[in-house]
Amino acid sequence: MANFNQRIIAPSLLAANWKNLGDECIRAINSGGDWLHLDVMDGHFVRNISFGPSFVKHVREIVPDAFLDTHLMIERPDNYIEAFIESGSSNITIHVEPKYDINKTIKKIKDSGISVGLALNPETPLEIAQPFLGQIDILLIMTVVPGFGGQQFMNDATMPKVKEATKIREENDLNFHIQVDGGITASTAKIAAEHGANIMVAGTNTFRSTDMKLAIKELRDA
Ligand code: DX5
Ligand code: ZN
């Protein structure tokens, strides 16, 4: 049974200094980051291109024991699942918006022995994810329109969904963590936690803060 009271902090490597990727991964872990969050963008599903499976593989080689949380913001996640499993992902999160076989893709991820997340953009209603809630380990409620780091937390569009997801989970005795991603600071983490989220992704507010250790502690204590 997953522990939804456990706060998990996942620094997003999108905001790291890639010139020193190795040091940055280790800095995040040594500063108290629980997971490393990897934002994969294809230039179709979102208006940005980041990195693919080989980047994830490098990170896996740098931090062999870290939990690598791979967030696929791509149009055809179903075509790339094997590659992201082989590269060493510990979790793969897929979006609910693109057109592909979500059930089959969730099954493929789970059959490989890693965990699976399902993500919703801020404008996507929770109902779209409802049929899958019994099969997933993580529900990712995006708190910005995905594509770029450093954006503003969208409270009104997203917090009611976090609250509703918490309620549905309780009423149906379901088992998924609730994750938020985008614009997470100590104060927005507090708001998200009050609505029921327990996994906090933060890029700008970890890697780009003056004191990463303190920033992560503040996200955890908020
Ligand atoms: C947004 C990504 C996020 C992003 C968060 O498209 O999914 O993970 O890195 O960045 P911050 O914390 O800077 O909003
Ligand atoms: Zn992300």
Side-chain angles (χ1 to χ4, degrees):
M1 175 76 169
N3 179 4
F4 311 124
N5 296 318
Q6 180 199 7
R7 183 80 62 93
I8 295 170
I9 311 298
S12 167
L13 284 172
L14 201 60
N17 179 353
W18 294 359
K19 225 165 34 192
N20 305 310
L21 181 64
D23 293 344
E24 288 285 78
C25 294
I26 292 163
R27 181 164 76 99
I29 302 291
N30 288 347
S31 301
D34 300 298
W35 295 359
L36 292 180
H37 183 81
L38 292 109
D39 287 305
V40 177
M41 305 177 181
D42 66 350
H44 292 275
F45 180 65
V46 292
R47 297 181 63 175
N48 195 6
I49 299 176
S50 59
F51 50 74
S54 63
F55 186 99
V56 181
K57 189 160 178 274
H58 286 305
V59 173
R60 172 51 75 216
E61 284 163 6
I62 296 160
V63 282
D65 299 324
F67 189 99
L68 302 187
D69 177 26
T70 301
H71 175 194
L72 297 183
M73 286 161 276
I74 65 179
E75 203 55 50
R76 289 301 303 262
D78 50 332
N79 289 344
Y80 294 92
I81 294 306
E82 282 91 354
F84 284 101
I85 291 168
E86 278 163 27
S87 66
S89 303
S90 312
N91 174 74
I92 295 179
T93 291
I94 53 177
H95 268 261
V96 78
E97 295 87 2
K99 296 280 162 274
Y100 65 102
D101 190 334
I102 296 177
N103 269 311
K104 203 168 144 194
T105 308
I106 288 176
K107 190 170 181 308
K108 200 189 264 185
I109 298 170
K110 289 184 82 165
D111 284 351
S112 78
I114 67 171
S115 69
V116 60
L118 189 64
L120 287 176
N121 283 343
E123 73 277 10
T124 304
L126 185 59
E127 292 73 62
I128 311 287
Q130 207 131 358
F132 311 104
L133 294 179
Q135 307 162 48
I136 58 173
D137 301 290
I138 298 171
L139 178 68
L140 168 53
I141 298 188
M142 289 303 300
T143 40
V144 298
V145 176
F148 299 91
Q151 304 183 77
Q152 277 279 323
F153 181 78
M154 297 169 68
N155 192 326
D156 298 349
T158 65
M159 287 305 106
K161 284 194 285 185
V162 173
K163 197 172 171 191
E164 181 63 16
T166 310
K167 190 166 157 246
I168 292 172
R169 181 176 68 194
E170 202 179 302
E171 286 172 356
N172 298 282
D173 210 10
L174 297 173
N175 244 320
F176 53 88
H177 292 274
I178 300 176
Q179 180 176 39
V180 285
D181 181 5
I184 298 298
T185 62
S187 64
T188 59
K190 182 170 189 285
I191 297 169
E194 282 166 356
H195 287 82
N198 72 302
I199 306 177
M200 313 286 164
V201 176
T204 308
N205 281 289
T206 53
F207 282 103
R208 309 242 170 125
S209 68
T210 45
D211 182 343
M212 190 168 184
K213 202 170 191 163
L214 179 65
I216 290 177
K217 188 183 180 304
E218 284 174 352
L219 287 171
R220 197 183 299 288
D221 296 345

